[in-house]
Amino acid sequence: MLNRITETLLMGPGPSTVTKSVLEALAQPTIGHLDPRFIDIMDNVKSMLRTVFETSNALTMPLSGTGSAGMEATFANLVEPGDRVLVLVNGVFGKRMQDVATRLGGEVTTVEFEWGTPVRPEQVQAALADQSFDVIAVVHAETSTGVGNPIDEIATLVQRTDALFVVDTVTSLGGIPVTVDAWKADAVYSGTQKCLSCPPGLAPFTLSDRARARLDRRTRPVPNWYLDLSLLTSYWEGAKRSYHHTAPINMIYALDRALENVLEEGLAAAHTRHREAHEQLAAGLPEIGLSLFVEPAFRLPMLNAVTVPDGVDEATVRKRLLEEFDIEIGAGLGPLAGKIWRIGLMGESARPHHVERLLDAMKTILQ
Ligand SMILES: *Cc1c(COP(=O)(O)O)cnc(C)c1O
């Protein structure tokens, strides 16, 4: 079956096109998960993750599993039955946080916003005036709608409370600034297959010292053995590394290379490249009769929700893009299904020639 795989330009909501050097890193010989050479790679990955997360958190490492494993780990470690959790919801991933926290026995409250619009800080402030929370969670970049939430303002509000602050940065990391320490965020997770241009399979993760102290005070064991941070750190930290589960060695090679690529380019330069690719797309869409769905102030550079014009069958356009042009874009989800396309400009996909290729292909199809 593998002989049917051809290179596709990935311009959907993830995975993004993987950098060649990252694919080469994946193909390096597998070594043991306790081999000192591998431990050096782990340490290098932890250190680079601190740089991209803009944090000095000691507990910073990739978790085995995709971005959702980062979400699961966050709530499984920080929420005990009966804990009060506030989730700000304006799309699929906020909903997923609500689901995860509820399954763990959290007493979950949501403040919900129309999909395609941002979290409104004044409504968050009102919710915080009514009640206190143990954990407050928000998605930085809502990939289901292309909305960037006003994270600095939300962080300021959360800082006035005692709650732990959880931020999902799966889509934002590497594409727009993620400033964990400046937000005073306590648990932040991401994914490899969006703006880092690595295959899916790891969840970069960081936990504040304050959250770690809360974890140490838990009265019950973390209900998820695989993602129990108190066990995982025995493998990822300290002089003596002991086996917990076999690390996905080659995926960690890939992340090591992907992070080196980001740091070689420079975080600020990577953010600029994403913004410029977005501006190029935003300028080109009206020329082919298309427009962006989200208000300009809240548009994400790496995830562009494009309104499907009346009379156009959105699925046919996606099918033709894939079959005739080897380009993948995404469909709308939930209430936005059939109404938008989701065009990802993530990592390697955020390059001028790729944007041009997509615009040309869409023009041909829509004519
Ligand atoms: C993709 C995504 C996730 C889930 O990540 P998976 O790698 O699909 O498990 C979570 N949150 C956001 C904002 C995402 O974009």
Side-chain angles (χ1 to χ4, degrees), residues 13-14 65-71 92-94 96-97 139-144 168-172 189-194 200-203 342 346:
T66 62
S68 303
M71 187 187 294
V92 165
F93 295 105
R96 186 173 297 181
M97 283 176 152
V139 175
H140 185 200
E142 197 26 279
T143 322
S144 60
D168 173 317
T169 65
V170 176
T171 282
S172 47
Y189 57 87
S190 189
T192 44
Q193 77 275 24
K194 308 220 176 165
L202 291 172
R342 290 183 300 151
M346 299 180 177

Side-chain angles (χ1 to χ4, degrees), residues 95-272:
K95 276 274 168 213
R96 186 173 297 181
M97 283 176 152
Q98 176 190 6
D99 186 5
V100 171
T102 303
R103 287 170 191 240
L104 288 160
E107 249 178 56
V108 180
T109 303
T110 59
V111 183
E112 307 220 9
F113 303 86
E114 196 185 329
W115 289 31
T117 73
V119 168
R120 299 278 173 196
E122 53 286 2
Q123 273 171 261
V124 178
Q125 190 166 13
L128 296 181
D130 282 352
Q131 211 187 325
S132 68
F133 295 96
D134 300 297
V135 173
I136 299 174
V138 68
V139 175
H140 185 200
E142 197 26 279
T143 322
S144 60
T145 64
V147 167
N149 282 321
I151 194 79
D152 296 318
E153 289 165 82
I154 297 166
T156 303
L157 294 173
V158 175
Q159 281 163 29
R160 294 188 197 138
T161 74
D162 288 331
L164 294 176
F165 188 29
V166 168
V167 187
D168 173 317
T169 65
V170 176
T171 282
S172 47
L173 192 70
I176 53 177
V178 167
T179 56
V180 170
D181 286 359
W183 298 336
K184 294 195 166 55
D186 293 292
V188 178
Y189 57 87
S190 189
T192 44
Q193 77 275 24
K194 308 220 176 165
C195 294
L196 300 178
S197 276
C198 190
L202 291 172
F205 177 83
T206 186
L207 191 77
S208 72
D209 293 345
R210 186 169 82 112
R212 196 162 181 175
R214 177 103 47 118
L215 185 57
D216 292 339
R217 287 198 307 271
R218 278 186 69 105
T219 52
R220 283 164 272 230
V222 172
N224 183 318
W225 181 87
Y226 196 74
L227 296 169
D228 182 340
L229 292 166
S230 53
L231 302 177
L232 286 168
T233 47
S234 64
Y235 174 58
W236 277 90
E237 291 181 338
K240 188 182 174 302
R241 307 293 175 101
S242 47
Y243 167 69
H244 175 256
H245 68 269
T246 310
I249 308 288
N250 293 53
M251 263 312 292
I252 290 170
Y253 296 164
L255 179 59
D256 182 78
R257 185 66 244 181
L259 291 169
E260 256 167 30
N261 289 343
V262 169
L263 298 179
E264 266 167 33
E265 178 179 17
L267 262 184
H271 299 156
T272 302

Side-chain angles (χ1 to χ4, degrees), residues 275-292 299 304 306-307 341 343 345 352 354-364 366-367:
R275 197 185 62 243
E276 287 175 354
H278 161 74
E279 284 164 0
Q280 183 187 350
L281 182 74
L285 287 172
E287 292 171 18
I288 55 173
L290 297 174
S291 60
L292 288 166
R299 286 176 189 163
N304 297 268
V306 175
T307 307
W341 289 296
I343 297 179
L345 301 173
H354 293 326
V355 176
E356 212 169 300
R357 183 174 147 196
L358 172 69
L359 285 168
D360 285 348
M362 289 194 87
K363 183 177 179 184
T364 306
L366 291 169
Q367 255 165 9

